[in-house]
Amino acid sequence: MNKKSKQLSNSFSTGGGGVFFETRVQASFVTLMLTGGYIPCLPRWPITEIRLQGKVDGYETDDLVVTVEKAKTNEHRKLLGQIKHSIQITQGNKRFGEVIQAAWNDYNNPDVFTQGKDVIALITGPLSATDTSHVQWLLTRARTTNCADDFFRDVDRAKFSSSKNIKKLNVFRHHLKRANGDAEVPENGLYEFLRHFHLLGYDFDHGREDGVVLSLLHSHISQFQQDQSQNAWNDILVYVQRLNLHAGVITRDNLPEELQDHFKVEKPMSEEYKAVHEVQQTDWNSHPDATHLARVILVGAWNGRYKSDKQILAQLLGMDYSTWEQKVRELLHPDSPFSLRDGLWKVKNRVKLWNQFGSRIIDNDLDTFKSLATTILKESDPAFDLPADQRYAAVLHEKILDHSDALRTGIAEGLAILGTHPETCSNCSRGNAELTSSLAVQDIFADSDWILWGSLNRLLPVLAETAPDEFLGAVENALRQTPCPFDELFAQEGDGITGGNYLTGLFWALEGLAWDEQYLVRVCVILGELARHDPGGQWANRPSNSLITILQPWFPQTTASIEKRKAAVKTLIREWPDVGWNLLIQLLSNQYQASSGSHKPVWRKIIPDDWESNVTKKEYWEQSSYYADLAIDVAGHDAVRLSELIDRFDNLPPSAVDQLIGVLSAPDILKLPETQRRLIWDHLTKFTNRHRRYSHTALPDELVTRIEEASEKLAPTDPFHLYHHLFSDGDSDLYDENGNWDEKVEQLNARRESAIRKIFQQGGIDRVIRFADSVPFPNQVGYALARLPRFDPVFN
């Protein structure tokens, strides 16, 4: 077995299908855990554990490891899932080869996989009809036949199977051979592997909320939250997004209290029960420790096993922690505002409690909280002392933050509560609550370096909502620094496997603020500047992708008006022309794209309850037409940009097509240098050839003719350049649709012979040799030259 498999990409490292496809799949399994549902491919037993990014624990198929357990016998089974939004099940597909390599390694590793019990699943978005039909046939047949002999007999039966089934089986043979160290896997081994391998399709590929899987999940959730299923689903998504960054493990015991609250079934208590047990609602506002409770709401959570957490509580409350813990333990009953699990204390229903207790906070409390929050959140994560490829094991190296993750998150959220509900602090100086949150954000990011930004990565969306103006100002200041902290953070990404993405939180923070119309333009300019700094990488979280997600005409992720979105794009083009141009190209109409949406604000009520993501046809075409016209205007006389637009003639509205043809026929274009005119002509020629060849799906004939006329005006006069394209593309790309195959071949050969004759006449054999050196298919030059008869005038 080959142990040198390419390690598969982890969270948010896939592209094309939207950055949240993987998260949505993972969230669907968390939903099943919360609702008591069952997962595919395994017995109908309850889910006991969901492991995200299992690479740390030795799994190769690591995007999702789900364990189910039979309560009476404690038997358990596992599903090892690799999530790929898009993939092709072919011999040449590298990504599918990586999936099989990882699956084969796990399948043969008894430490992580039990053959005969556990399963491996490739979870995908949309697949081709061939892959869906024939691969599923193979896998189903493997699981329903008694032995390998019966399986291969059925596959080979002409009337029972098909050649496409055999072809797909050979795809598995090919990749398994490579995974097995280039040693052929025996037929019985291939058969047994296929019995354990599943292909699951999840229709999370579109931004629309009407997919079958999502509908079924909402049906599950609505059994508990009839009117609030979307809120529960959004909370699950946010939780999984956060946990993914830390390769978390989810069990029923460590699920957040606020998530579990969505799925509690409240049983009404009889009057007799209330009388016997003296059950009554506690008036916490009149409790002797109500002021202490108000202060603790600002903290939100802490870990009693952390000495530093206990010291913070003692400072905030002005009492010894042991005294406070004794008090709070006495409050643990069904009506308690606190929960305790494995040493982790949490305040339940914080915002609701804050509205009740906030008036007990005074200016001195705010000063103390601000000082503590600034000190705690400015702490640099010692994991950054380690090389990037060792940070996943920071705990083993004892490189951990002084304060617990629960406390840091709770305090950041406490600042957000102050920033978004300042009116509750009615006994503080006017505006002091909001000022406290704003000054805290300023102080936290003052003199910030890349390590601090990386240390706060997960908390940045919360801090952005705490004080949007101050947060955006901090990002803008960081971009002006030399060296820029974000350059170093981009460099930490590495290959997306051993490295990490420490900018995800920043992108989510900016996406969250982009929902607010007043911040849209500013956010887009910042994302544009970040895109200029971005060196690229394997992770899908990129500032350019955030821009596309926010502004895409068919599924915008902002409440801003269309006019404001247009203004954002124009401003971006003015500030960062190249980034703005690339965005414009992606916003053109009729391009197939998928999106699961952007990060949504949690603490600020930016998105109205009645807001809908649906875009009318009128709104869609208004934006598409505007972006197309703007792209033509921005392209100007730039040959490279005009060539990009030519390749996307199909994606332009009719008015923009007319406008672009007019630009290409204008005298200023005809006066461009030869090399630039030739570039434009080459793209025009390829476009029209393609549409003549596929006339049944092409643009109207008269429109193609107009494009050809524009092309002829730009055609090179030098045969050396005029016929370059005949030896630059595959033969089939140069055929038209009419005539049989032999006629097409002969016509193309005749065109090539004529071209070589003219080049020879221009400069002899030396010119032909130089021409052959300049084209991608020099062998065709030699073939055309050889076909010329010896008595041809060219040789005389």
Side-chain angles (χ1 to χ4, degrees), residues 639-664:
V640 174
R641 289 183 175 179
L642 287 172
S643 297
E644 288 187 74
L645 288 176
I646 290 166
D647 294 342
R648 291 169 173 80
F649 256 123
D650 293 338
N651 304 130
L652 300 178
S655 60
V657 172
D658 289 337
Q659 184 182 348
L660 181 56
I661 293 175
V663 169
L664 296 171

Side-chain angles (χ1 to χ4, degrees), residues 30-43:
V30 176
T31 302
L32 293 176
M33 171 185 273
L34 285 162
T35 60
Y38 304 119
I39 70 171
C41 311
L42 288 177

Side-chain angles (χ1 to χ4, degrees), residues 724-740:
H724 197 276
H725 71 284
L726 292 177
F727 304 88
S728 300
D729 299 318
D731 288 4
S732 60
D733 293 329
L734 296 167
Y735 299 147
D736 59 33
E737 190 182 30
N738 301 319
N740 60 40

Side-chain angles (χ1 to χ4, degrees), residues 78 104 143 207 236 288 404 422 432 444 478 498 539 571 602 605 701:
K78 286 184 293 187
W104 182 248
R143 287 190 286 274
I236 294 170
S404 71
N432 196 23
I444 288 166
T498 57
W539 294 65
T571 305
V602 175
K605 193 65 175 178
D701 187 69

Side-chain angles (χ1 to χ4, degrees), residues 330-398:
E330 292 174 359
L331 303 180
L332 287 175
H333 55 73
D335 188 31
S336 175
F338 298 98
S339 68
L340 172 63
R341 181 173 295 154
D342 296 330
L344 183 63
W345 290 89
K346 285 190 176 182
V347 178
K348 299 186 292 186
N349 301 317
R350 284 179 76 182
V351 174
K352 180 179 179 181
L353 285 172
W354 176 250
N355 290 330
Q356 297 176 25
F357 287 89
S359 60
R360 290 184 171 271
I361 297 295
I362 60 176
D363 288 338
N364 188 58
D365 296 322
L366 294 180
D367 292 341
T368 301
F369 180 67
K370 173 183 171 294
S371 176
L372 293 174
T374 303
T375 300
I376 291 167
L377 297 182
K378 281 188 78 72
E379 181 187 357
S380 296
D381 190 342
F384 286 105
D385 295 340
L386 299 170
D389 60 353
Q390 295 181 26
R391 288 180 197 145
Y392 73 93
V395 175
L396 298 178
H397 293 283
E398 298 183 349

